[in-house]
Amino acid sequence: MAGEASSYRRSNDLHHVHYVALGRDRRFTRLHKRFAYFSLAILAVFFAWYSLYVAMSAFGRNFMNHRLTGNINVGLVFGVLEFASTFAFAWFYAHYAKTSLDPLADRIRDEIDAAIGAPLALRSGRRPELAQPAARPQATRPSARPERKSARW
């Protein structure tokens, strides 16, 4: 048992060296900066848009109560646009991540996996052994009470 723990520590130390080197790699810092700048920009735009909605609801009641057509006023349109903008920002982030962040992250991950000796199946992000979880046998235990054939309600 003690031998297993020390070998586990040694293997983690070897991996730790690779991860420390990865943290200092300029590609990783570029990836981290791209993510941070994009996330902060999206956060700032969304917060400004939401703050405008709240401020107009609190202080611009005449503007928000302006009827556009029928029972639809500016406040209702702003509210619906809040939901729409949330989905638009989520789609925009997913698109940005797919085109700008993921390719760089995949290259970095493949390189670090190759350096630590990960199997080829794991290097591409596919884990065939986890794709189909093993079926666990259902334990059958006797019921404490017999089932009723009809409901009373």
Side-chain angles (χ1 to χ4, degrees), residues 75-87:
L76 182 64
V77 171
F78 264 47
V80 170
L81 287 176
E82 283 293 326
F83 285 105
S85 66
T86 301
F87 289 107

Side-chain angles (χ1 to χ4, degrees), residues 7 12 32 43-45 69 85 87 89 100 105-106 123 129-131 142:
S7 68
N12 275 350
H32 182 61
L43 178 67
V45 168
T69 178
S85 66
F87 289 107
F89 287 142
S100 183
D106 289 342
R123 289 187 196 168
E129 70 277 2
L130 295 180

Side-chain angles (χ1 to χ4, degrees), residues 68 115 142:
L68 298 175

